[in-house]
């Protein structure tokens, strides 16, 4: 790095080259991230003189106070459900990815293909399909009712369990794929090395494989948590009035009530909270040290 | 009224196909999912060709012989044969609010939306009219408008009857699965029977849900600005809080009814008309306290040329001919706003003739007497009610 | 730890066989390794060295036979319960851990107290001469440094035996030579049994106390480097260790230690029987190392009356300390002689006939026959340059 300043003439010509290479990326970011965010911020600080009038920019922070005071249950629910769905996705997805990566053999690509197959169907249809699978008169619910603490009027649909399950199901592929990729990269001779140094299989996994696959878990968690926290379809089709999430509110504010300022404020609050959570999470997992 | 019943059949069958067919994504896209707004309305810039008419309607809301829009003998083909005008027919409407969100930016600036006729539900038509975004119908071209049934003449959403003609109509009442309730239901209070706790569905459509509850509490719908609907909201909130109400749904309540998730719910007559054919346990009743009568309308948003408006008039006249209207009714099975359809169906014989005696398509006088159509809500009142409804329904 | 006595056995294999499906990777391996010994397994690629080592480490289970570690049968004990450590061919350092944590890994697994871990790790980093690298990551080290860390990580646990699978294979020649000495020094310092796998015969010769030469899943010979070099048990061993001129011969007679054999060209010579008795008429192989083959008239290396063979010079290559002289006999066998400084290469132009001689003790009788087309010079070096 120190050398960068020494050879001035050599560098002069290439000084802007890196920026030149970056410019499509920067343009993309500007166009599809910065511009919408600025518009969102502007909208969130606007007021509407009447329902069908255009919002007017007015440094109106009341949208934010309202967002936080009125909709904290929905926020909490969103993060809770998304958090549980993320944990479930790890608990289900990791063993699956591990199994494919270690035992898949020549079926690996086929098995990973199976993980992706649900994506060929629209998200909405996949979710609605679950309402038939989990229907009150269905086999699944019938079996569920056999559980001693459930009873014959127990149901799965229209419960938080169904919403969390739907979120987990809909986004679990986003967990499996990055974990699979990170496991694929691991040299499994390292587990032999750990065994050689006295580790029983479980400890070898915990000390070697798990830490090396953390980047995959991290990426997967973001890919599951972020869309899950903003989701409304699962709450809409699998939930009840008591399970509505912040995405439900935003959708309704935008499309039914035409309250763009409030919807924008809610979206931004969601975005900020998620960003903070991601930063904390990345500290917690110490991702920068994991780059192998 | 969010989605039509036939669309639901379509959804169910694609969902049943499971994830395997990649094509189902495309199908779902053209069926229009709630997450992705179809662009047919806004796109298509004008449809300005001299002998064409653009009409954006709800999904599967017109007869389609052999599943082909312009199939032999279809209304659209017959119309072209009769007038030489080709109809560019699109199915871009999934939801009134979504439709509004799509056309509002254009109409508020005075830009054309690309369709000469659209089919908003009456209250949305009323809103568009109040906002001054509709052109008058060329009634001179539509002598058949005289065939409009009396109950839908000069509705509050269009007091002079100059801006809209109903396309199809239907009732909102109680839909129930007798296999689960074990008894017939007749009143709204039956819905609040503790035996059905967690098995009751409401519609996300505020006017139908609040309308039925309000009627059960003796609150009138015809002149809403003079009424206080707070008791209806309070009742709804109470039933949500005690878990009686399981879910607020759109048209998907039909699945919930069939699958036993709902014992009863607020539903639409047209859905049940079709559903009860395959499942006689599914029944529809207008509660004793009354149900709502809704209708979708044909309106002409501002921005069309005089020729286009004239063509639109010719089309409306065509579908208000009882012969043509009967053909549409046979397919969509809603209440036709055109007088004489019942007789035409009888003449057609066969299955069509049985429809003529279906109470859901041709409600008798005592049923009609119990139906009310919402009057026009002021912007403020509507906003306040929408907010309240969203809060209670968890949206 | 009251083991004493120089011949105490650390590892013993008896009849160890390993099949992979139909393929026999190791067949009836029978040998034992003494405490503190530097034991090498040498053989061409695919002969089963790694498989044998992995069975000792516990990564593979023998199909049949027994492995004893310090007298205990460990044939079915998982690797993490065996008191041996491995230095892997690719080092297998944990990329997500610092060097310190890598070296401390085994101690921590064994729940050694924290203070002890620290001192033992630092001590071991001293032994491998990398005390300053404790905080680095493996990818911040050179290949040779990683190799030493792999060694330290294994040795710090004081295992009963250290297993090394071609630990120097990835290093360049210069570094490899340095590391060979280094390994030897460390082994002397810590006094731990080393089982060292290599396919480099020179490496095996310089470092080992004893060598097991393997081919096609079988152990051909076990012995000290000198024994293996001078008295190879099979023609393969003769050719694999150094360069050997091999001639198919027939035993004519034996009297005492003297065996008289006849070459395919009809010449006869006398060789030491080295304790073996040969039936007249049996087919065996005569081995003469290149440094024992000299031009007629030059002083013979080794005692005893010589024998000679006529051949035509096919090449003469100056190689520094020696001149490599290749000749072809009338029977078509190529022989190689290393001419010393006292010989004048100019006296033997290519194409010229020359007479080569060797002494009775300069030759050795390998008690196995070879085919006629295998006659002549063989060496791993030739194979390698050819490959
Ligand atoms: N897991 C396995 N499955 C099937 N065959 C195997 C397996 N491991 C080794 N082999 C075969 O066993 C034979 C011996 O392999 P091994 O790895 O022991 O050779 P090596 O002597 O270490 O060779 P190199 O010097 O090339 O490392 C080889 O032919 C190899 O193909
Ligand atoms: Mg090997």
């Amino acid at each position: 790095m120190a050398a960068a300043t020494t050879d001035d003439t050599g560098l002069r010509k290439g000084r802007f080259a890196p920026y030149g290479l970056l410019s499509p990326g920067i343009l993309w970011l500007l166009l599809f991230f910065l511009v919408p965010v600025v518009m969102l911020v502007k909208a969130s600080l606007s007021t509407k003189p009447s329902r069908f009038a255009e919002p007017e920019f007015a440094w109106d922070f009341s949208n934010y106070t309202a967002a936080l005071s009125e909709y904290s249950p929905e926020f909490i629910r969103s993060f809770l459900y998304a958090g549980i769905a993320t944990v479930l996705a790890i608990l289900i997805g990791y063993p699956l990815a591990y199994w494919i990566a270690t035992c898949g053999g020549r079926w690996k690509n086929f098995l990973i293909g199976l993980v992706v197959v649900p994506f060929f169907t629209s998200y909405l249809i996949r979710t609605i399909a679950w309402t038939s699978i989990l229907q009150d008169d269905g086999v699944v619910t019938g079996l569920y009712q056999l559980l001693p603490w459930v009873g014959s009027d127990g149901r799965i649909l229209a419960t938080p369990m169904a919403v969390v399950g739907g979120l987990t199901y809909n986004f679990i592929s986003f967990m499996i794929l990055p974990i699979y990729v990170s496991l694929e990269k691991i040299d499994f001779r390292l587990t032999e090395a750990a065994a050689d140094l006295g580790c029983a299989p479980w400890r070898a996994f915990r000390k070697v494989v798990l830490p090396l696959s953390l980047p995959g878990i991290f990426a997967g968690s973001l890919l599951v948590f972020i869309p899950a926290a903003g989701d409304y379809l699962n709450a809409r089709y699998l939930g009840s009035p008591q399970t509505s999430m912040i995405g439900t509110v935003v959708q309704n504010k935008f499309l039914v009530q035409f309250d763009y300022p409030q919807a924008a404020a809610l979206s931004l609050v969601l975005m900020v909270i998620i960003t903070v959570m991601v930063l904390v999470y990345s500290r917690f997992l110490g991702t920068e040290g994991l780059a192998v | 009224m969010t989605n039509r019943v036939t669309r639901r059949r379509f959804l169910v069958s694609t969902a049943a196909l499971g994830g395997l067919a990649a094509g189902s994504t495309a199908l779902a896209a053209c069926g229009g999912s709630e997450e992705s707004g179809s662009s047919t309305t806004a796109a298509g810039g004008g449809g300005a060709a001299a002998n064409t008419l653009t009409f954006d309607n709800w999904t599967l809301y017109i007869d389609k012989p052999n599943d082909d829009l312009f199939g032999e003998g279809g209304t659209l083909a017959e119309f072209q044969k009769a007038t030489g005008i080709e109809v560019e027919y699109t199915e871009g409407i999934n939801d009134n609010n979504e439709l509004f969100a799509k056309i509002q930016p254009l109409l508020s600036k005075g830009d054309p939306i690309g369709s000469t006729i659209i089919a908003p539900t009456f209250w949305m038509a009323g809103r568009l009219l109040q906002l001054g975004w509709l052109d008058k119908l060329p009634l001179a071209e539509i002598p058949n408008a005289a065939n409009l049934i009396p109950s839908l003449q000069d509705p509050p959403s269009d007091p002079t009857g100059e801006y809209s003609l109903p396309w199809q109509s239907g009732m909102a009442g109680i839909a129930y699965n007798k296999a689960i309730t074990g008894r017939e239901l007749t009143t709204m209070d039956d819905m609040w029977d503790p035996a059905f706790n967690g098995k009751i569905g409401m519609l996300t459509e505020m006017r139908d849900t609040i309308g039925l509850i309000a009627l059960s509490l003796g609150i009138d719908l015809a002149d809403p600005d003079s009424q206080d609907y707070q008791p209806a909201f309070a009742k709804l909130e109470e039933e949500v809080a005690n878990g009686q109400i399981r879910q607020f749904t759109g048209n998907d309540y039909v699945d919930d009814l069939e699958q036993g998730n709902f014992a009863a719910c607020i539903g639409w007559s047209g859905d049940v008309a079709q559903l009860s054919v395959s499942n006689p346990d599914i029944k529809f009743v207008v509660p004793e306290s009354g149900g709502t009568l809704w209708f979708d309308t044909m309106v002409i948003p501002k921005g069309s040329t005089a020729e286009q408006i004239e063509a639109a008039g010719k089309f409306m006249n065509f579908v208000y001919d009882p012969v043509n209207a009967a053909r549409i009714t046979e397919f969509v099975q809603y209440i036709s706003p055109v007088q004489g359809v019942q007789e035409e169906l009888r003449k057609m014989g066969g299955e069509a003739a049985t429809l003529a005696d279906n109470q859901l398509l041709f409600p008798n006088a005592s049923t009609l007497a119990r139906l009310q159509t919402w009057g026009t809500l002021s912007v403020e009142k509507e906003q306040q009610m929408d907010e309240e409804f969203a809060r209670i329904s968890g949206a | 730890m009251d083991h004493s006595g120089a011949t105490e056995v650390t590892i013993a294999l008896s009849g160890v066989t390993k099949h992979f499906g139909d393929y026999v990777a190791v067949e009836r391996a029978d040998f034992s390794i003494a405490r503190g010994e530097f034991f090498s397994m040498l053989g061409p690629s695919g002969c089963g060295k790694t498989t044998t080592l992995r069975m000792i480490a516990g990564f593979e289970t023998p199909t049949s036979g027994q492995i004893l570690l310090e007298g205990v049968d460990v044939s079915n004990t998982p690797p993490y319960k065996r008191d041996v450590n491995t230095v892997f061919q690719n080092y297998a350092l944990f990329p997500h851990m610092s060097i310190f944590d890598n070296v401390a890994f085994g101690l921590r697994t064994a729940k050694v107290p924290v203070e002890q871990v620290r001192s033992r790790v630092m001590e071991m980093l001293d032994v491998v001469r990398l005390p300053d690298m404790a905080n680095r990551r493996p990818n911040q080290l050179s290949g040779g440094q990683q190799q030493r860390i792999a060694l330290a990580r294994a040795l710090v646990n004081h295992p009963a035996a250290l297993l090394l699978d071609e630990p120097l294979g990835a290093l360049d020649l210069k570094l490899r030579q340095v590391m060979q000495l280094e390994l030897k020094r460390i082994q002397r310092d810590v006094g731990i049994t080393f089982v060292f796998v290599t396919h480099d015969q020179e490496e095996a010769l310089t470092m080992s106390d004893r060598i097991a030469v393997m081919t096609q899943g079988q152990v051909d010979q076990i012995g000290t480097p000198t024994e293996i070099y001078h008295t190879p048990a099979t023609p393969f061993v003769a050719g694999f260790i150094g360069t050997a001129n091999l001639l198919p011969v027939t035993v004519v007679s034996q009297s005492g230690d003297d065996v008289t054999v006849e070459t395919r060209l009809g010449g006869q010579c006398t060789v030491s029987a080295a304790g073996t008795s040969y039936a007249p008429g049996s087919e065996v192989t005569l081995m003469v190392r290149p440094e024992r083959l000299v031009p007629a008239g030059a002083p013979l290396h080794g005692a005893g009356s010589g024998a000679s063979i006529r051949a035509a010079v096919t090449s003469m290559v100056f190689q520094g300390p020696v001149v490599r002289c290749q000749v072809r006999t009338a029977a078509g066998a190529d022989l190689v002689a290393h001419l010393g400084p006292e010989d004048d290469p100019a006296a033997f132009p290519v194409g010229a006939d020359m007479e080569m001689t060797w002494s009775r003790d300069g030759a050795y009788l390998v008690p196995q026959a070879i085919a006629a087309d295998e006659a002549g010079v063989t060496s791993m070096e030739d194979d390698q340059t050819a490959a």
Side-chain angles (χ1 to χ4, degrees):
Chain A
M1 261 156 266
T5 49
T6 52
D7 188 359
D8 232 16
T9 44
L11 275 175
R12 191 161 293 153
K13 215 165 53 179
R15 175 166 295 166
F16 295 102
Y19 299 102
L21 282 175
L22 268 180
S23 61
I26 289 174
L27 212 69
W28 193 90
L29 269 184
L30 222 76
L31 218 64
F32 294 106
F33 181 73
L34 208 59
V35 170
V37 165
V38 167
M39 280 166 57
L40 217 55
V41 170
K42 194 177 152 216
S44 73
L45 296 172
S46 302
T47 48
K48 287 178 85 173
S50 72
R51 193 177 196 198
F52 303 116
E54 289 290 314
E56 284 164 15
F57 186 71
W59 290 112
D60 181 1
F61 285 92
S62 67
N63 292 314
Y64 285 94
T65 50
L68 289 171
S69 62
E70 278 175 49
Y71 296 106
S72 47
E74 277 83 0
F75 272 116
I76 291 169
R77 224 176 274 140
S78 294
F79 294 125
L80 191 69
Y81 290 177
I84 298 174
T86 308
V87 172
L88 285 177
I90 295 174
L91 292 181
I92 299 167
Y94 197 103
L96 192 68
Y98 187 89
W99 178 73
I100 295 175
T102 54
C103 311
R106 62 206 177 88
W107 295 100
K108 267 184 194 178
N109 288 337
F110 174 73
L111 291 169
I112 280 299
L114 284 188
V115 169
V116 185
V117 157
F119 284 101
F120 291 128
T121 314
S122 121
Y123 174 38
L124 177 71
I125 287 185
R126 268 184 286 148
T127 308
I128 291 177
W130 274 105
T131 62
S132 334
I133 297 169
L134 300 178
Q135 58 177 282
D136 285 13
D137 290 351
V139 180
V140 179
T141 306
L143 291 175
Y144 172 70
Q145 287 170 347
L146 294 179
L147 295 175
W149 63 89
V150 177
S152 63
D153 57 350
R155 65 179 196 222
I156 300 177
L157 282 181
T159 62
M161 179 170 65
V163 179
V164 170
L167 291 172
T168 311
Y169 161 76
N170 272 310
F171 298 114
I172 195 166
S173 304
F174 295 120
M175 183 65 81
I176 295 174
L177 292 179
I179 291 182
Y180 171 77
V181 169
S182 71
L183 285 171
E184 263 287 86
K185 280 198 308 195
I186 296 178
D187 180 354
F188 275 85
R189 284 175 295 190
L190 292 177
T191 56
E192 286 193 347
D196 189 71
L197 292 165
C199 287
W202 173 243
R203 187 177 159 88
F205 171 78
R206 226 161 25 89
K207 291 283 165 185
V208 178
V209 178
L210 188 62
L212 285 173
S213 58
L214 278 187
I217 297 178
F218 179 75
S221 301
L222 298 195
L223 291 175
V224 171
F225 183 82
I226 294 174
D231 186 75
Y232 71 92
L233 278 175
N234 285 281
R236 157 78 177 74
Y237 284 100
L238 306 175
S240 70
Q242 282 84 6
T243 63
S244 69
M245 295 169 67
I246 200 66
T248 325
V249 176
V250 172
Q251 193 255 358
N252 190 271
K253 292 272 177 201
F254 258 119
L255 279 183
V256 178
Q257 304 186 40
F258 309 102
D259 193 347
Y260 303 134
Q262 179 80 80
L266 286 167
S267 308
L268 282 167
V269 170
L270 179 71
M271 212 166 94
V272 168
I273 297 179
I274 287 179
T275 309
V276 170
M277 287 176 125
V278 166
L279 289 178
V280 171
Y281 186 56
S282 70
R283 270 298 112 106
F284 171 69
L285 278 189
T287 41
E288 55 277 291
L290 285 169
V292 180
Chain B
M1 282 163 280
T2 327
N3 303 302
R4 304 296 144 187
V5 66
T6 26
R7 165 173 146 71
R8 167 233 162 219
R9 291 262 170 257
F10 158 86
L11 263 182
V12 169
S13 55
T14 32
L17 280 176
L20 292 172
S24 60
T25 323
L27 285 174
C30 74
S33 56
E34 284 192 9
E35 56 191 335
S36 62
S38 161
S39 60
T40 32
T41 315
N51 268 347
T52 61
L53 168 69
T54 46
F55 182 12
D56 196 28
N57 205 346
W58 300 76
T59 309
L60 302 174
Y61 213 19
I62 196 167
D63 57 323
K64 291 177 170 183
N66 312 320
D67 281 339
D68 177 3
L69 266 189
F70 300 99
E72 202 55 34
T75 298
L76 297 173
E78 292 294 324
F79 175 64
Q80 185 170 4
K81 218 187 283 169
T83 63
I85 299 171
E86 185 187 337
V87 183
E88 230 174 74
Y89 184 86
T90 51
E91 302 187 323
I93 306 181
N94 301 303
D95 179 279
N96 280 303
N97 289 310
E98 196 183 284
L99 169 71
F100 186 79
K102 235 155 36 182
I103 62 178
Q104 189 245 7
L106 295 166
L107 290 175
S108 64
K109 288 196 199 70
D111 293 336
I113 62 163
S115 296
T116 300
I117 307 178
I118 57 174
T121 301
F122 71 95
W123 57 268
M124 181 56 73
R127 182 192 286 178
L128 297 177
L129 176 59
Q130 278 186 330
L131 289 167
W133 292 349
L134 296 183
D135 267 329
K136 280 192 181 172
L137 304 181
L139 285 171
E141 301 279 350
I142 322 175
N144 285 340
N147 294 334
L148 176 61
I149 53 175
S151 58
L152 293 179
Q153 276 169 15
D154 302 334
S157 56
D158 178 16
T160 63
E162 291 171 296
Y163 291 90
S164 66
L165 268 179
W167 169 252
Q168 299 292 314
S169 173
M171 301 174 275
I174 297 175
Y176 61 99
N177 186 340
K178 197 175 166 227
I180 294 179
T181 59
R183 63 181 174 101
E184 309 289 351
L185 306 191
T186 52
T187 67
M188 282 303 281
D189 278 343
D190 288 336
M191 300 266 271
W192 316 135
D193 182 342
F196 307 146
N197 190 279
K199 290 252 177 205
I200 296 298
M202 295 282 127
L203 291 171
T204 49
E205 192 75 20
M206 185 268 285
R207 276 177 179 75
D208 291 326
T209 297
I210 289 300
L212 259 74
I213 299 176
L215 287 171
S216 76
L217 299 174
I219 307 171
D220 203 70
L221 311 180
D223 182 17
D225 282 342
S226 69
Q227 302 284 344
D228 178 12
Y229 293 98
Q230 200 44 49
F233 283 105
K235 178 67 183 164
L236 181 67
E237 187 163 19
E238 177 195 329
E239 299 299 340
V240 167
N242 70 23
Q244 183 77 9
I245 292 170
R246 175 188 179 114
Q247 232 187 352
F248 287 78
T249 67
N251 182 260
D252 44 323
Y253 70 86
V254 289
D255 295 325
D256 289 308
L257 265 184
E258 267 194 315
Q259 294 166 354
N261 302 334
F262 288 166
C265 60
I266 298 180
W268 291 306
S269 55
D271 291 346
V272 181
Q274 292 209 346
L275 199 57
S276 55
V277 173
S278 60
N279 188 347
D281 280 333
I282 310 286
K283 307 215 165 180
F284 180 87
V285 63
V286 175
E288 281 164 6
S289 51
T292 54
L293 180 72
W294 55 264
F295 54 97
D296 292 330
T297 65
M298 294 180 280
V299 297
I300 304 178
K302 286 217 159 117
S304 288
T305 63
E307 295 86 62
Q308 287 169 337
I309 291 175
E310 189 189 321
K314 284 186 176 141
F315 180 77
M316 292 180 194
N317 193 52
F318 187 78
V319 296
Y320 262 71
D321 179 325
V323 176
N324 299 325
R327 193 168 41 223
I328 296 173
T329 299
E330 188 199 2
F331 184 82
V332 302
Q333 303 196 5
Y334 282 91
I335 298 174
S336 176
V338 181
Q339 247 168 0
V341 167
Q342 198 167 17
E343 290 73 42
E344 288 302 325
L345 284 172
R346 286 224 173 84
K347 272 189 232 162
M348 287 159 82
E351 283 204 24
T354 63
L355 290 177
D357 298 318
N358 191 327
Q359 274 294 304
L360 296 174
L361 269 71
F362 300 98
N364 59 28
S366 78
T367 306
L368 281 175
R370 276 183 282 148
L371 296 177
Q372 276 203 31
T373 300
W374 274 91
T376 302
L377 287 162
S378 70
V379 172
E380 294 74 28
K381 185 134 186 156
E382 186 186 41
Q383 177 173 8
Q384 175 251 321
M385 287 175 72
D386 275 343
E387 273 174 18
E388 183 74 350
F389 188 71
R391 185 182 65 75
I392 295 169
S393 64
Chain C
M1 291 302 240
D2 59 349
H3 310 295
S4 54
T7 57
E8 196 191 329
V9 169
T10 303
I11 297 168
L13 279 70
S14 70
V16 171
T17 300
K18 178 71 188 177
H19 294 229
F20 290 113
D22 291 342
Y23 185 81
V24 183
V26 177
E27 195 169 4
R28 298 203 57 77
D30 265 303
F31 54 86
S32 52
I33 303 168
R35 168 165 298 274
E37 193 176 12
F38 196 117
F39 186 88
S40 291
M41 287 192 281
L42 177 65
S45 183
C47 70
K49 308 178 296 285
T50 298
T51 306
T52 309
L53 201 71
R54 287 171 59 83
M55 286 192 285
I56 298 173
F59 301 130
E60 307 280 3
T61 318
T63 309
S64 63
Q66 272 192 335
I67 297 173
L68 303 183
L69 188 60
E70 312 236 83
V72 181
D73 183 356
V74 294
S75 310
N76 293 305
T77 308
Y80 54 93
K81 288 187 181 154
R82 296 191 191 192
D83 188 18
V84 293
N85 286 117
T86 308
V87 175
F88 294 87
Q89 187 164 1
N90 66 337
Y91 314 143
L93 295 179
F94 303 123
H96 57 298
M97 295 180 193
S98 68
I99 296 308
F100 184 94
D101 291 339
N102 263 280
V103 178
F105 193 89
L107 297 177
R108 285 176 178 158
T109 305
K111 303 221 160 44
V112 172
V114 183
E115 328 79 65
Q116 269 194 52
V117 170
R118 177 138 212 103
S119 61
R120 276 171 73 178
V121 169
M122 293 318 288
E123 200 178 296
M124 194 45 71
L125 287 177
D126 274 338
V127 170
V128 298
R129 301 193 172 145
L130 290 171
D132 302 331
M133 302 291 177
N135 293 322
R136 295 222 192 154
R137 295 264 169 167
N139 62 4
Q140 294 168 317
L141 298 188
S142 73
Q145 289 168 333
Q146 291 182 30
Q147 207 283 316
R148 289 167 201 230
I149 296 304
L151 193 62
R153 184 178 69 175
L155 277 177
V156 75
N157 306 297
H158 299 324
L162 187 70
L163 313 177
L164 305 98
D165 190 357
E166 306 202 27
L168 309 179
L171 306 181
D172 64 49
L173 183 63
K174 195 89 194 154
L175 192 54
R176 194 152 75 215
Q177 285 167 348
V178 173
M179 284 305 299
Q180 284 171 3
L181 297 176
E182 192 83 325
L183 263 182
K184 199 61 196 163
R185 171 187 68 80
I186 291 168
Q187 197 252 343
R188 263 196 312 272
D189 289 355
V190 297
I192 289 175
T193 310
F194 273 37
V195 184
F196 187 91
V197 163
T198 179
H199 61 248
D200 180 342
Q201 43 103 359
E202 206 176 302
E203 195 166 276
L205 289 177
T206 48
M207 302 177 74
S208 318
D209 296 326
R210 281 195 305 150
I211 300 172
V213 183
M214 294 181 70
T215 176
Q216 293 175 2
Q218 279 174 320
V219 178
D220 271 25
Q221 187 175 12
I222 297 177
T224 63
T226 332
E227 285 166 359
I228 297 233
Y229 187 76
H230 290 299
T231 61
T234 64
F236 169 79
V237 174
F240 193 72
I241 309 291
T243 306
N245 295 302
L246 300 179
L247 295 172
V249 294
T250 311
V251 176
V252 177
S253 64
Q254 176 172 16
S255 82
D257 191 42
D258 286 346
V259 184
T260 306
V261 296
E262 188 178 272
T263 67
R264 293 286 178 270
L265 294 170
Q268 292 202 345
C269 66
T270 304
V271 202
S272 163
T276 316
S277 57
Y278 294 95
S282 54
E283 303 283 320
V284 289
T285 305
L286 183 74
M287 176 193 82
V288 185
R289 296 282 183 194
E291 65 272 20
R292 302 297 180 106
L293 199 59
V294 298
L300 292 177
H301 299 287
S305 60
S308 70
I309 193 166
R310 291 205 70 80
V313 178
T314 53
S315 79
M316 191 71 73
V317 180
F318 178 69
Q319 286 186 331
V322 297
V323 175
R324 184 190 150 99
C325 166
Q326 189 161 334
V327 298
R328 177 164 295 164
T329 67
D334 287 314
L335 302 181
V336 165
H338 287 168
L339 306 188
E342 66 280 4
D343 301 305
D344 176 16
F348 312 106
V350 171
D353 258 14
M354 76 186 282
E355 180 145 346
M356 309 295 293
T357 63
W358 63 90
S359 68
R360 172 187 178 276
D361 289 352
Y364 177 75
L365 216 49
V366 182
Q368 266 181 25
I370 54 167
D373 61 348
E374 288 174 305
V377 67
T378 63
S379 81
M380 266 324 272
E381 283 147 40
D382 287 357
D383 283 4
Q384 279 163 358
T385 45

